[in-house]
Amino acid sequence: MCTGAAAVAALLAAGTTAHAADTPLRDLAAAKGKVIGTAVTGSKLTGTYGDIAGGQFNSLTPGNAMKWGSVEPTRGSFDWSEADQIVAFAQAHNQQVRGHTLVWHSQNPSWLTNGTWTQAQLSSLLQDHITTEVTRYKGKLAAWDVVNEPFNEDGTYRSTLWYDGLGADYIAQALTWAHAADPSAKLYINDYNVEGVNAKSTALYNLVKSLKARGVPIDGVGLQAHLILGQVPGTLQQNIQRFADLGVDVAVTELDIRMQLPADSTKLAQQAADYKAVFDACVAVTRCAGVTVWGFTDSDSWIPDVFPGYGAATPYDENYAPKPAYSAIATALGGTSTPPPTGACAATYSVTSQWNTGFTGQWNTGFTGQVTIACSGAALSSWKVNWTYGAGQRITQAWNATCTQTGAGVSCSNASYNGTVPSGGSVTFGFNASWSGSNPAPTVSLG
C-alpha cells in the first residue's frame, strides 16, 4: 500500500475576507460623524460575541429586551434585567444605546392585548408605559424608536390597538410623552419598506412634515432596511435626503440583507455591494445619523425563522468570521480591509487508503482520498478546490463536497453546510476514486 500527500499555499477563494479591518468599524464611522450600531441579545454579550459587539460598534439596540412584552409581562410586574444588562455593557464600552421600541402593534403583553379598555384607559396605559420606561433610562439612551411600524404598504394607517383605540394622534401623543420623560433623547418614528420613495415612505414623510408644523417633538425617522439581495432601492439616497430636508435626522435602524440559501461566492459578492450601497447613501447625507445592523452574526439573525430558506443576512457568518459585506462596510466608511496574508488558507490532499486486488492491477482497484482546507489569519465563507490528475484517476463518489471531473481536471466546492472556514479552523471532505498503475498526489489549489 502506498500513499501520497501534497500541500500548497492556496490562492484565496472568492469568498475570502480579511479577519478584520485595520481600524474597527466604530472608529471609521466616528471619523465620518456617523453611528454604526448592532442589535444585540443581552445573554450573549460574552466571549467572541461580546468582543465583536463591543469592539466594532459604537451603538447598541436591544433586539427584544425593551419591548413592552419583555419589560412588563404581567401588569405592574417589571423585568428590566436584560435591558439593564445591555445598557451597562454599552456604558462599559463607551457606546450609545438606541431604545427599541415604545409603541408597537406586536410583542405586547397578553394582559394588554386581551383586555377591554375605554379610550381613556388605553391612553393612560400608554402614557404610563412610555413615562415609566423612558424615565428609567433618562440620560442613558441617545435615541428611542418611539412609534414602530404605523403604516400599511399603501400609506394608510395600520389597524392596531393604538390606532383603532386612540386614532391617528396616538403618534403625536406618544412623542410628546416620551419627550417629557427625557428631553435629551432623540425621538424617532421607525418603519420598514420605507427605504425608497414609495407610497409608504411618502405617508411617513407627510406625517413627519405635519408633526413638525404642529410643534410635536420629532427628531428623526428610522428606515429599518430589512432588504433582499440585489434589491437596494435606487431612490434610497434621494429618500434619505428628502427627510433630512424636513429638518430631521435619518437612521438606518435594522439593516440586514437576506439571500436564498445556500450562500455562495456570487451571492456574497452581491451582498457586499448591497451593504456598501446602503452605507454610501448614508455617508452622502449629512443628516443621516448612521446605520444599525439587525444582528451582526448569522447565528443571531431572525431571518431563517421568519423567511424559511433564506438567511446569511448579516456581515459575519455563524462562526463570527467576517464576510465580504464586512469589508464593504469598512470601505464605505473610508477604511481598507487588511488583505489576507499569502498562504493564509491552504488545501492539503492525501490518500488515506488504496487497494489493488485484481489481476495485474486491472480489477477492483481504487482508493479513498481526502482534502483538508485550513486557514490561519484569514477566513473563507465559501471554497472551491481544483486539481488535475496525472495518472488517469477518476472520482466515483464524494462526501462533504460537490465534485465534478472533466477529463483529468477535478473541481470540488463546499456543501451547503460547510462553506465557512474560520481563521484557525479547517474543513475536510473525502472521496472514492479508481486508479490504475500509479497514484501520484496532484497539486491542489483553492480558487
Side-chain angles (χ1 to χ4, degrees), residues 53-356:
Q56 292 290 336
F57 302 94
N58 57 19
S59 176
L60 300 182
T61 299
N64 292 296
M66 289 186 176
K67 292 170 181 173
W68 198 336
S70 298
V71 300
E72 194 183 4
T74 303
R75 188 176 185 184
S77 178
F78 295 91
D79 181 0
W80 305 103
S81 55
E82 187 186 359
D84 286 352
Q85 179 186 13
I86 292 169
V87 171
F89 182 95
Q91 290 175 332
H93 291 81
N94 193 28
Q95 295 168 303
Q96 297 182 8
V97 178
R98 183 181 192 89
H100 180 81
T101 176
L102 295 170
V103 188
W104 193 24
H105 63 270
S106 185
Q107 290 184 246
N108 288 313
S110 58
W111 65 262
L112 175 66
T113 56
N114 294 336
T116 301
W117 317 104
T118 65
Q119 182 175 354
Q121 289 172 327
L122 191 62
S123 178
S124 179
L125 285 168
L126 184 58
Q127 182 177 6
D128 288 347
H129 167 66
I130 291 172
T131 302
T132 299
E133 184 156 9
V134 176
T135 299
R136 180 177 184 84
Y137 297 108
K138 181 179 181 180
K140 298 179 179 180
L141 269 61
W144 277 101
D145 292 326
V146 178
V147 177
N148 201 43
E149 302 173 1
F151 290 108
N152 295 315
E153 296 303 299
D154 63 0
T156 58
Y157 282 103
R158 183 193 292 267
S159 174
T160 68
L161 175 66
W162 312 115
Y163 178 78
D164 297 344
L166 301 175
D169 220 36
Y170 81 90
I171 297 172
Q173 292 169 337
L175 291 163
T176 300
W177 293 328
H179 179 71
D182 186 356
S184 66
K186 299 281 190 178
L187 307 181
Y188 280 70
I189 301 173
N190 192 52
D191 216 326
Y192 65 91
N193 289 351
V194 292
E195 295 75 35
V197 177
N198 56 36
K200 192 174 189 180
S201 65
T202 298
L204 179 57
Y205 176 90
N206 289 334
L207 171 62
V208 172
K209 187 177 181 179
S210 171
L211 293 170
K212 291 280 289 183
R214 293 169 54 190
V216 175
I218 172 72
D219 299 296
V221 295
L223 317 179
Q224 290 186 12
H226 295 296
L227 303 175
I228 302 171
L229 189 71
Q231 296 185 25
V232 177
T235 53
L236 174 60
Q237 184 177 326
Q238 174 190 345
N239 193 42
I240 294 173
Q241 186 64 62
R242 71 166 175 162
F243 279 104
D245 291 343
L246 288 178
V248 296
D249 294 334
V250 181
V252 178
T253 54
E254 304 181 23
L255 176 63
D256 49 32
I257 302 175
R258 63 186 181 270
M259 64 182 70
Q260 191 165 10
L261 298 174
D264 58 35
S265 58
T266 300
K267 294 176 186 175
L268 291 169
Q270 178 64 58
Q271 184 185 57
D274 291 347
Y275 266 95
K276 186 174 185 300
V278 174
F279 275 81
D280 282 345
C282 183
V283 169
V285 180
T286 302
R287 292 205 69 154
C288 183
V291 179
T292 291
V293 294
W294 203 245
F296 62 86
T297 169
D298 292 342
S299 64
D300 196 40
S301 173
W302 69 297
I303 294 295
D305 292 334
V306 178
F307 299 97
Y310 285 79
T314 75
Y316 288 78
D317 69 21
E318 293 185 350
N319 295 310
Y320 304 119
K323 289 148 65 173
Y326 174 94
S327 298
I329 293 169
T331 300
L333 293 173
T336 57
S337 291
T338 304
T342 302
C345 294
T348 303
Y349 177 106
S350 63
V351 174
T352 57
S353 65
Q354 66 183 41
W355 53 93
N356 180 359

Side-chain angles (χ1 to χ4, degrees), residues 31-50:
K32 294 282 188 183
K34 305 296 182 184
V35 167
I36 182 165
T38 181
V40 292
T41 302
S43 61
K44 297 182 179 181
L45 285 171
T46 60
T48 302
Y49 182 98

Side-chain angles (χ1 to χ4, degrees), residues 356-365:
N356 180 359
T357 59
F359 176 73
T360 65
Q362 300 302 307
W363 303 336
N364 194 23
T365 62

